């Protein structure tokens, strides 16, 4: 029931979707079709390509994210769980609460209880176990049968995982990944999916176990196509190929269609030829096939951190600009995500004199004014701890005098010396006597 289309780049796969959608609309102009993508960004991108760039009608064509499809399947079962879905921040604090309540049962995790990064990391571990559909009881039984001993910290993590599962079943709160697990039971009886003439999956090269189970349930029961980025036996696609061979190849029916085989040679496709293969054409800098010696290469550089990574990229840009006379506007820097690079990427590029334009957005909390405001708001929560108050007063963006007229500055009410003597403690008395002696 699964038709597979592959290509080296998402641009190739987008072209394949456009061609197949054009053919589908000619044959079935009003039949419903669903395209499933992994994220809201991918959904908006695909809508833009189909509607704006290719001028295609999306009448009765549903473009849904994995989460939106799963939520729709759950709602068909009569369950309304939107109000019970919580963010990662909620679950991080919940893990912290569990660690405090169950500290006697988690002795090896006691050192992480009051470290914010500690319980955040534990939540990520619990989330991986949950999304992988790991059964803690089965893991323990397997280890016992093989006479293996589990690390004490690992044992505590599984105990915490058990506590989390019990609490989740009790309070019925979920994160976005839980939705796929709940939705799987409604696939066979879904009216929405049964009405779709085809279901196309696009935009992923890996899935969590709960997402994979939902995908398998749909692909085994309904006509499904998957558009997957891969080049067989290429080292750059080793990770994607492992997933493809293990979970998709066995479900495919008939020949796998590789879309780039039907397109002219481009500079990008030459980057993804398999080792040892020879191209019929070489590609010049302008992207036109010629018989020269130029061949684009793909290089992997390992760096110890994000800032060093950006510095190496900046030096490589300068090398291309100075040695190969490549114009600034002809050089692009692409990342899977720019999150975490906001603080040093602009600074490093300016240090190297590289002009750049980016859609990268910096978090509001990175600005000093916002940090000062946050300190001000957090002072009552911290019960006016001295270090927090001093950080606020020492900030150059906090000016107490500006808020008041000099004649209206707050000052303590006059208190008589006799009144102070009447209320002094033993420690105050000792200090006063010592000062008077001096």
């Amino acid at each position: 029931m699964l038709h597979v289309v592959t290509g080296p780049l998402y641009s190739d796969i987008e072209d394949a979707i456009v061609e197949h959608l054009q053919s589908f609309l000619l044959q079935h102009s009003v039949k419903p079709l669903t395209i499933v993508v992994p994220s809201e960004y991918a959904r908006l991108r695909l809508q833009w390509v189909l509607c704006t760039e290719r001028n295609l009608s999306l009448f009765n064509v549903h473009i849904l994210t994995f989460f939106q499809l799963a939520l729709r399947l759950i709602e068909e079962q009569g369950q309304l769980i939107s109000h019970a879905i919580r963010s990662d921040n909620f679950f991080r604090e919940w893990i912290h609460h569990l660690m405090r309540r169950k500290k006697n049962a988690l002795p090896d995790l006691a050192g992480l209880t009051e470290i914010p990064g500690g319980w955040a990391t534990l939540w990520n571990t619990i989330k991986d176990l949950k999304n992988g559909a790991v059964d803690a009881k089965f893991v323990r039984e397997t280890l016992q049968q093989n006479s293996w001993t589990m690390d004490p910290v690992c044992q505590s993590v599984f105990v915490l995982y058990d506590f989390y599962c019990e609490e989740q079943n009790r309070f019925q709160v979920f994160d976005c990944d839980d939705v796929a697990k709940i939705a799987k039971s409604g696939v066979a009886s879904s009216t929405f999916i049964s009405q779709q003439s085809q279901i196309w999956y696009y935009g992923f090269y890996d899935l969590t176990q709960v997402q994979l189970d939902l995908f398998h349930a749909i692909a085994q029961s309904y006509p499904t196509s998957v558009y997957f980025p891969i080049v067989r036996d290429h080292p750059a696609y080793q990770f994607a190929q492992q997933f493809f061979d293990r979970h998709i190849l066995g479900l495919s029916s008939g020949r796998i269609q590789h879309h780039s085989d039907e397109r002219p040679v481009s500079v990008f496709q030459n980057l993804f030829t398999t080792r040892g293969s020879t191209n019929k054409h070489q590609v010049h800098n302008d992207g036109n096939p010629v018989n020269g010696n130029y061949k684009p290469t793909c290089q992997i550089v390992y760096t110890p951190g994000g800032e060093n990574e950006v510095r190496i990229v900046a030096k490589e840009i300068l090398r291309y600009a100075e040695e190969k006379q490549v114009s600034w506007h002809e050089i692009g820097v692409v990342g899977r995500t720019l999150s975490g690079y906001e603080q040093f990427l602009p600074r490093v590029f300016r240090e190297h004199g590289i002009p750049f334009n980016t859609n990268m957005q910096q978090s509001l909390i990175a600005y000093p004014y916002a940090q000062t405001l946050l300190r001000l708001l957090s002072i009552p929560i911290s019960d006016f701890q001295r270090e927090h108050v001093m950080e606020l007063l020492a900030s150059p963006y906090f000016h107490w005098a500006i808020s008041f007229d000099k004649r209206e500055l707050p000052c303590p009410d006059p208190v008589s010396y006799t009144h102070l003597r009447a209320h002094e403690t033993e420690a105050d008395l000792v200090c006063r006597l010592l000062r008077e002696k001096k």
Side-chain angles (χ1 to χ4, degrees):
M1 298 290 289
L2 183 65
H3 175 62
V4 180
V5 180
T6 64
L9 300 169
Y10 280 119
S11 58
D12 299 288
I13 298 175
E14 286 177 356
D15 289 341
I17 290 178
V18 169
E19 293 175 10
H20 295 169
L21 184 58
Q22 288 173 335
S23 176
F24 175 84
L25 294 175
L26 288 175
Q27 299 176 19
H28 316 285
S29 57
V30 295
K31 285 189 176 182
L33 166 71
T34 294
I35 304 176
V36 188
V37 298
S39 66
E40 181 65 13
Y41 174 82
R43 189 181 73 84
L44 296 175
R45 164 63 186 170
L46 192 59
Q47 282 184 337
W48 179 268
V49 170
L50 297 177
C51 294
T52 307
E53 297 182 3
R54 303 304 178 95
N55 198 28
L56 293 175
S57 170
L58 295 184
F59 176 73
N60 236 0
V61 177
H62 307 273
I63 304 179
L64 305 174
T65 64
F66 291 169
F67 175 75
Q68 291 170 340
L69 175 62
L71 203 60
R72 189 155 189 168
L73 292 175
I74 294 173
E75 291 173 352
E76 280 191 323
Q77 302 175 42
Q79 303 181 49
L80 297 177
I81 67 168
S82 299
H83 66 282
I85 297 176
R86 300 289 186 269
S87 68
D88 278 351
N89 289 331
F90 172 86
F91 286 103
R92 280 194 285 266
E93 293 298 330
W94 196 7
I95 290 296
H96 183 207
H97 180 65
L98 275 176
M99 291 172 66
R100 281 182 165 180
R101 284 176 48 209
K102 308 288 187 180
K103 59 182 180 181
N104 293 332
L106 305 168
D108 295 290
L109 301 180
L112 301 177
T113 304
E114 300 305 326
I115 302 177
W119 67 72
T121 302
L122 280 172
W123 162 240
N124 291 333
T125 304
I126 297 297
K127 190 175 182 180
D128 288 339
L129 293 172
K130 175 176 62 68
N131 294 343
V134 175
D135 186 339
K137 182 179 178 181
F138 177 77
V139 171
R140 294 191 189 94
E141 291 177 352
T142 303
L143 292 175
Q144 290 175 358
Q145 292 174 2
N146 291 275
S147 300
W148 291 338
T149 56
M150 188 185 296
D151 181 79
V153 175
C154 187
Q155 289 180 359
S156 295
V157 170
F158 275 103
V159 171
L160 180 62
Y161 179 48
D162 286 334
F163 288 147
Y164 168 81
C165 293
E166 293 173 3
E167 294 283 296
Q168 186 184 38
N169 291 333
R170 176 185 173 190
F171 293 104
Q172 292 294 295
V173 289
F174 311 98
D175 70 348
C176 293
D177 294 313
D178 292 323
V179 176
K181 181 179 179 180
I182 302 171
K184 180 187 172 184
S185 60
V187 170
S189 59
S190 172
T191 304
F192 172 74
I193 294 185
S194 62
Q195 290 174 345
Q196 307 304 305
S197 56
Q198 293 185 35
I199 301 170
W200 298 353
Y201 272 84
Y202 155 76
F204 70 92
Y205 58 88
D206 186 25
L207 293 174
T208 63
Q209 187 61 49
V210 291
Q211 292 170 340
L212 181 63
D213 291 341
L214 179 59
F215 166 72
H216 278 176
I218 293 175
Q220 290 170 355
S221 304
Y222 301 96
T224 307
S225 297
V226 60
Y227 296 81
F228 197 88
I230 189 174
V231 175
R232 298 290 302 179
D233 301 323
H234 191 285
Y237 289 88
Q238 183 178 1
F239 179 78
Q241 184 169 334
Q242 291 176 353
F243 178 85
F244 182 83
D245 293 342
R246 184 176 301 173
H247 302 293
I248 294 181
L249 189 60
L251 294 175
S252 63
S253 57
R255 175 179 170 270
I256 295 175
Q257 179 184 351
H258 192 67
H259 188 69
S260 65
D261 293 342
E262 306 166 5
R263 304 182 67 198
V265 177
S266 72
V267 64
F268 293 109
Q269 290 175 19
N270 274 12
L271 284 172
F272 299 102
T273 54
T274 56
R275 281 182 177 177
S277 63
T278 56
N279 298 324
K280 295 179 181 179
H281 307 281
Q282 297 294 332
V283 181
H284 209 291
N285 298 29
D286 57 5
N288 298 319
V290 294
N291 294 322
N293 296 323
Y294 174 80
K295 182 179 179 181
T297 58
C298 187
Q299 182 182 9
I300 299 177
V301 179
Y302 297 95
T303 62
E307 184 168 354
N308 290 327
E309 180 183 0
V310 173
R311 289 190 180 278
I312 290 176
V313 169
K315 292 181 179 353
E316 189 69 8
I317 291 174
L318 292 179
R319 187 177 69 84
Y320 270 88
E322 295 172 1
E323 298 180 6
K324 300 188 177 182
Q325 303 300 313
V326 180
S327 301
W328 298 117
H329 70 274
E330 295 179 328
I331 301 175
V333 179
V334 182
R336 181 179 180 183
T337 175
L338 295 178
S339 176
Y341 292 86
E342 305 92 338
Q343 297 183 0
F344 44 81
L345 189 147
R347 172 171 52 82
V348 171
F349 273 32
R350 291 191 186 101
E351 288 175 358
H352 288 77
I354 300 174
F356 66 94
N357 183 29
T358 177
N359 59 358
M360 179 174 56
Q361 297 179 344
Q362 191 170 13
S363 173
L364 182 63
I365 197 60
Y367 293 91
Y369 283 108
Q371 294 174 0
T372 303
L373 179 60
L374 184 62
R375 289 193 186 103
L376 177 62
L377 295 175
S378 64
I379 282 179
I381 301 175
S382 66
D383 196 22
F384 295 90
Q385 289 187 13
R386 184 181 183 279
E387 56 180 321
H388 294 172
V389 174
M390 295 306 297
E391 283 181 1
L392 175 66
L393 297 178
S395 171
Y397 300 96
F398 182 81
H399 300 285
W400 177 268
I402 293 177
S403 303
F404 301 92
D405 184 75
K406 290 184 177 180
R407 293 168 298 178
E408 299 177 355
L409 284 175
C411 60
D413 296 330
V415 180
S416 67
Y417 181 70
T418 305
H419 177 81
L420 292 175
R421 289 283 301 273
H423 290 83
E424 69 179 359
T425 64
E426 291 184 4
D428 294 333
L429 174 62
V430 173
C431 292
R432 180 172 61 81
L433 293 175
L434 289 174
R435 293 179 64 182
E436 289 177 356
K437 185 178 180 181
K438 291 182 179 180

